[in-house]
Amino acid sequence: MGSQWGRDRFYRQARTEGYRSRAAYKLLDIQKRFQVIRDDDNVIDLGCAPGSWLQVLRELTDGQVIGVDLNPVPSIEGVVTLTGDFTTEYMHEKIRSLIGVANVIVCDAAPKLSGNKSYDQARAVGLSEEACDFALDFLKPGGNFVVKTFQGDMFHLILDKMRENFFGVKVYRSKAARKGSTEVYIIGKKFKGHRNDSEG
């Protein structure tokens, strides 16, 4: 496995430039193409371990940057990291006390893979939908949301949800994605506004 990672130019580049993982270049690629983050935005990163997206976010904005993950994340200067489940009411209250609402929410999280393609894809889409629900509660109107998901039979569920809640929605495969991966990012721009309580 080591030789495989060693041949990956993004892996080598991350090591050279000090990023914690090659995933940093996915966010840099998305930002270059879609300009989702402005230099004064407050940003929440869901599923932030090991922290490479937090490193990029800290470079892109002077606003507040908060990362949440089930696993502890080594500290990054100028970034607040929280350990826990972003779907819980406890974590929601914790985040609200720190940031209130955010201009941008990003999520590069993925479930641990079992090897069962349909099961893994269902879990991945479910995680993406949970991240979207979080964004609908924490984004300012006009805010932006970036979420990783995987193409397959259930892909339309998260895509439809995004189209209901953002004025602009694009599906993008990063140039930094590994060959053969079905991984894509959905970019939602200009959040329409907080959902009604009647929607749940």
Side-chain angles (χ1 to χ4, degrees):
M1 187 68 86
S3 62
Q4 177 188 343
W5 303 136
R7 288 194 300 268
D8 186 300
R9 74 178 179 91
F10 291 107
Y11 173 84
R12 295 195 302 270
Q13 191 175 345
R15 293 192 69 175
T16 300
E17 297 184 355
Y19 290 120
R20 292 180 180 179
S21 82
R22 65 193 301 287
Y25 300 103
K26 299 176 185 179
L27 182 56
L28 288 166
D29 182 22
I30 290 166
Q31 173 66 8
K32 182 178 180 180
R33 188 174 179 92
F34 298 101
Q35 294 84 48
V36 292
I37 300 154
R38 295 164 298 191
D39 60 11
D40 60 349
D41 280 341
N42 294 332
V43 187
I44 301 172
D45 181 2
L46 306 175
C48 64
S52 62
W53 276 35
L54 293 174
Q55 290 176 295
V56 172
L57 292 169
R58 187 67 289 164
E59 296 168 3
L60 294 175
T61 178
D62 295 323
Q64 196 169 2
V65 177
I66 293 178
V68 186
D69 200 277
L70 292 172
N71 300 305
V73 177
S75 63
I76 297 170
E77 186 175 354
V79 173
V80 174
T81 55
L82 303 173
T83 304
D85 183 344
F86 71 79
T87 68
T88 64
E89 188 59 37
Y90 169 79
M91 189 58 68
H92 286 199
E93 291 175 3
K94 184 82 171 173
I95 293 168
R96 285 199 197 284
S97 71
L98 291 169
I99 201 172
V101 290
N103 306 97
V104 180
I105 293 172
V106 297
C107 179
D108 192 41
K112 290 183 179 179
L113 300 181
S114 68
N116 181 317
K117 189 173 180 180
S118 59
Y119 175 70
D120 288 340
Q121 206 252 341
R123 291 175 64 225
V125 170
L127 182 59
S128 304
E129 288 191 286
E130 288 176 338
C132 188
D133 284 336
F134 181 98
L136 301 186
D137 287 335
F138 280 87
L139 271 180
K140 290 181 178 179
N144 300 328
F145 176 49
V146 176
V147 62
K148 177 166 74 179
T149 191
F150 295 85
Q151 291 178 316
D153 294 342
M154 301 177 69
F155 176 71
H156 69 94
L157 296 175
I158 180 65
L159 185 60
D160 290 347
K161 192 168 195 171
M162 295 281 287
R163 286 173 171 162
E164 288 173 10
N165 289 285
F166 293 86
F167 286 108
V169 176
K170 297 288 186 182
V171 177
Y172 183 62
R173 177 175 168 80
S174 171
K175 291 179 287 188
R178 290 193 179 94
K179 290 181 181 178
S181 172
T182 61
E183 167 190 295
V184 293
Y185 291 88
I186 305 178
I187 293 92
K189 298 193 74 174
K190 297 184 180 178
F191 177 46
K192 293 179 180 180
H194 294 290
R195 54 187 172 177
N196 296 325
D197 290 340
S198 62
E199 295 184 26

